[in-house]
Amino acid sequence: MQVDVFKDMNPQQREAIACLEGPLLVVAGAGSGKTSVMAARVVWLVGTGQVAPEQVLGLTFTNKAASELAGRLRTALARAGVTPRPSSPLELVPEVGEPVVSTYHAFAGRLVSEHGLRLGVEPRARLLADATRYQLAARVLRRHRGPITYLTNPLSMLVGDLVALEGELSEHLVAPEQLLAWDEDWRRQVEDVCAEHDGRTGSKGHCDDLRTMAAASRKRSELTTLVRAYRQAKSDLDAIDFGDQVALAARLAE
């Protein structure tokens, strides 16, 4: 390599750059040089022949971060002489692979588009925008004819709660049935604990807090049953959203 990737790095950063064991989790705060370390690690891995540039995948949360990381990687690899760069704007360089850098959602969308048929998902399934998701959730709530006991918030708030819960379930790969079972078991434990401690000195406040959380759990369980209806409505439209993309991509990866 024509550059020293360890230059100006502290011992912890050097350890992260040249770590031979994996997978590796590096935790660092804002302004601590995370992007520089990631770029240096890619240069080290490619420069030492452990991976090809096109075998590197970088995922971030925002488009801005993805653009910054991609630029840093291209510059670092070219400066290190790992990938060629033209000496003038008119000079052609051989085609070489480049690291793939993307946001999580964009990469998930690409996987679903290319391989969704393996899971029975059409590659061109309609992707719902945020406004459409809220409209569809509102329609599901208005058409619901089952009993509603614990959800007392106005419709406008329930729409946001429904969309948020469904998205969290998708992105954490938790099925509605799993959440319902967990909540039911947790409420049972709360009642058992409070029944055992009722009347004891100092236990009332603690049990009141637990029962308040149990009441919130009942509302969540009722909302979880509506998640099923919302997902069915999406299926009827042959549509998916960003949360679905992440969940489907995780299933494809598995």
PDB file of all heavy atoms in Angstrom, residues 129-141:
ATOM      1  N   ALA A 129     -46.034   5.062   0.164  1.00  0.00           N
ATOM      2  CA  ALA A 129     -45.463   6.263   0.771  1.00  0.00           C
ATOM      3  C   ALA A 129     -46.087   6.456   2.154  1.00  0.00           C
ATOM      4  O   ALA A 129     -47.113   5.853   2.489  1.00  0.00           O
ATOM      5  CB  ALA A 129     -45.738   7.478  -0.112  1.00  0.00           C
ATOM      6  N   ASP A 130     -45.469   7.299   2.966  1.00  0.00           N
ATOM      7  CA  ASP A 130     -45.950   7.509   4.330  1.00  0.00           C
ATOM      8  C   ASP A 130     -47.409   7.961   4.356  1.00  0.00           C
ATOM      9  O   ASP A 130     -48.209   7.463   5.152  1.00  0.00           O
ATOM     10  CB  ASP A 130     -45.078   8.547   5.042  1.00  0.00           C
ATOM     11  CG  ASP A 130     -43.804   7.924   5.594  1.00  0.00           C
ATOM     12  OD1 ASP A 130     -43.748   6.679   5.685  1.00  0.00           O
ATOM     13  OD2 ASP A 130     -42.872   8.672   5.927  1.00  0.00           O
ATOM     14  N   ALA A 131     -47.760   8.910   3.491  1.00  0.00           N
ATOM     15  CA  ALA A 131     -49.132   9.423   3.489  1.00  0.00           C
ATOM     16  C   ALA A 131     -50.132   8.307   3.184  1.00  0.00           C
ATOM     17  O   ALA A 131     -51.198   8.219   3.811  1.00  0.00           O
ATOM     18  CB  ALA A 131     -49.265  10.549   2.473  1.00  0.00           C
ATOM     19  N   THR A 132     -49.777   7.435   2.246  1.00  0.00           N
ATOM     20  CA  THR A 132     -50.667   6.334   1.881  1.00  0.00           C
ATOM     21  C   THR A 132     -50.803   5.335   3.014  1.00  0.00           C
ATOM     22  O   THR A 132     -51.877   4.763   3.235  1.00  0.00           O
ATOM     23  CB  THR A 132     -50.146   5.633   0.614  1.00  0.00           C
ATOM     24  OG1 THR A 132     -49.843   6.604  -0.382  1.00  0.00           O
ATOM     25  CG2 THR A 132     -51.190   4.663   0.069  1.00  0.00           C
ATOM     26  N   ARG A 133     -49.729   5.104   3.743  1.00  0.00           N
ATOM     27  CA  ARG A 133     -49.784   4.189   4.887  1.00  0.00           C
ATOM     28  C   ARG A 133     -50.786   4.698   5.924  1.00  0.00           C
ATOM     29  O   ARG A 133     -51.602   3.929   6.449  1.00  0.00           O
ATOM     30  CB  ARG A 133     -48.402   4.063   5.533  1.00  0.00           C
ATOM     31  CG  ARG A 133     -47.375   3.355   4.693  1.00  0.00           C
ATOM     32  CD  ARG A 133     -45.982   3.556   5.261  1.00  0.00           C
ATOM     33  NE  ARG A 133     -45.846   2.969   6.575  1.00  0.00           N
ATOM     34  CZ  ARG A 133     -45.020   3.411   7.515  1.00  0.00           C
ATOM     35  NH1 ARG A 133     -44.271   4.473   7.298  1.00  0.00           N
ATOM     36  NH2 ARG A 133     -44.945   2.818   8.685  1.00  0.00           N
ATOM     37  N   TYR A 134     -50.746   5.988   6.201  1.00  0.00           N
ATOM     38  CA  TYR A 134     -51.662   6.558   7.192  1.00  0.00           C
ATOM     39  C   TYR A 134     -53.099   6.515   6.696  1.00  0.00           C
ATOM     40  O   TYR A 134     -54.027   6.259   7.471  1.00  0.00           O
ATOM     41  CB  TYR A 134     -51.240   7.993   7.528  1.00  0.00           C
ATOM     42  CG  TYR A 134     -50.095   8.066   8.502  1.00  0.00           C
ATOM     43  CD1 TYR A 134     -48.775   7.931   8.062  1.00  0.00           C
ATOM     44  CD2 TYR A 134     -50.307   8.235   9.861  1.00  0.00           C
ATOM     45  CE1 TYR A 134     -47.712   7.980   8.946  1.00  0.00           C
ATOM     46  CE2 TYR A 134     -49.245   8.292  10.760  1.00  0.00           C
ATOM     47  CZ  TYR A 134     -47.952   8.159  10.292  1.00  0.00           C
ATOM     48  OH  TYR A 134     -46.898   8.204  11.170  1.00  0.00           O
ATOM     49  N   GLN A 135     -53.297   6.756   5.414  1.00  0.00           N
ATOM     50  CA  GLN A 135     -54.649   6.681   4.850  1.00  0.00           C
ATOM     51  C   GLN A 135     -55.195   5.262   4.946  1.00  0.00           C
ATOM     52  O   GLN A 135     -56.369   5.059   5.302  1.00  0.00           O
ATOM     53  CB  GLN A 135     -54.634   7.149   3.402  1.00  0.00           C
ATOM     54  CG  GLN A 135     -54.377   8.633   3.224  1.00  0.00           C
ATOM     55  CD  GLN A 135     -54.168   9.024   1.772  1.00  0.00           C
ATOM     56  OE1 GLN A 135     -54.047   8.162   0.897  1.00  0.00           O
ATOM     57  NE2 GLN A 135     -54.110  10.322   1.507  1.00  0.00           N
ATOM     58  N   LEU A 136     -54.353   4.291   4.645  1.00  0.00           N
ATOM     59  CA  LEU A 136     -54.790   2.898   4.698  1.00  0.00           C
ATOM     60  C   LEU A 136     -55.086   2.478   6.134  1.00  0.00           C
ATOM     61  O   LEU A 136     -56.078   1.783   6.405  1.00  0.00           O
ATOM     62  CB  LEU A 136     -53.713   1.999   4.093  1.00  0.00           C
ATOM     63  CG  LEU A 136     -54.058   0.514   3.943  1.00  0.00           C
ATOM     64  CD1 LEU A 136     -55.277   0.340   3.047  1.00  0.00           C
ATOM     65  CD2 LEU A 136     -52.866  -0.252   3.366  1.00  0.00           C
ATOM     66  N   ALA A 137     -54.238   2.904   7.074  1.00  0.00           N
ATOM     67  CA  ALA A 137     -54.478   2.583   8.482  1.00  0.00           C
ATOM     68  C   ALA A 137     -55.775   3.206   8.967  1.00  0.00           C
ATOM     69  O   ALA A 137     -56.539   2.581   9.722  1.00  0.00           O
ATOM     70  CB  ALA A 137     -53.310   3.074   9.332  1.00  0.00           C
ATOM     71  N   ALA A 138     -56.049   4.428   8.551  1.00  0.00           N
ATOM     72  CA  ALA A 138     -57.307   5.081   8.938  1.00  0.00           C
ATOM     73  C   ALA A 138     -58.500   4.315   8.390  1.00  0.00           C
ATOM     74  O   ALA A 138     -59.526   4.145   9.079  1.00  0.00           O
ATOM     75  CB  ALA A 138     -57.321   6.520   8.428  1.00  0.00           C
ATOM     76  N   ARG A 139     -58.388   3.819   7.155  1.00  0.00           N
ATOM     77  CA  ARG A 139     -59.481   3.047   6.564  1.00  0.00           C
ATOM     78  C   ARG A 139     -59.712   1.751   7.343  1.00  0.00           C
ATOM     79  O   ARG A 139     -60.857   1.359   7.602  1.00  0.00           O
ATOM     80  CB  ARG A 139     -59.145   2.717   5.106  1.00  0.00           C
ATOM     81  CG  ARG A 139     -60.286   2.024   4.354  1.00  0.00           C
ATOM     82  CD  ARG A 139     -59.807   1.508   3.020  1.00  0.00           C
ATOM     83  NE  ARG A 139     -59.114   2.531   2.246  1.00  0.00           N
ATOM     84  CZ  ARG A 139     -58.419   2.259   1.150  1.00  0.00           C
ATOM     85  NH1 ARG A 139     -58.315   0.997   0.724  1.00  0.00           N
ATOM     86  NH2 ARG A 139     -57.825   3.225   0.486  1.00  0.00           N
ATOM     87  N   VAL A 140     -58.615   1.088   7.750  1.00  0.00           N
ATOM     88  CA  VAL A 140     -58.728  -0.148   8.524  1.00  0.00           C
ATOM     89  C   VAL A 140     -59.435   0.114   9.851  1.00  0.00           C
ATOM     90  O   VAL A 140     -60.323  -0.641  10.280  1.00  0.00           O
ATOM     91  CB  VAL A 140     -57.342  -0.766   8.765  1.00  0.00           C
ATOM     92  CG1 VAL A 140     -57.391  -1.866   9.822  1.00  0.00           C
ATOM     93  CG2 VAL A 140     -56.773  -1.315   7.458  1.00  0.00           C
ATOM     94  N   LEU A 141     -59.077   1.194  10.520  1.00  0.00           N
ATOM     95  CA  LEU A 141     -59.690   1.520  11.809  1.00  0.00           C
ATOM     96  C   LEU A 141     -61.172   1.848  11.649  1.00  0.00           C
ATOM     97  O   LEU A 141     -62.003   1.437  12.472  1.00  0.00           O
ATOM     98  CB  LEU A 141     -58.959   2.701  12.445  1.00  0.00           C
ATOM     99  CG  LEU A 141     -57.566   2.381  13.021  1.00  0.00           C
ATOM    100  CD1 LEU A 141     -56.797   3.670  13.310  1.00  0.00           C
ATOM    101  CD2 LEU A 141     -57.689   1.543  14.286  1.00  0.00           C
TER     102      LEU A 141
END
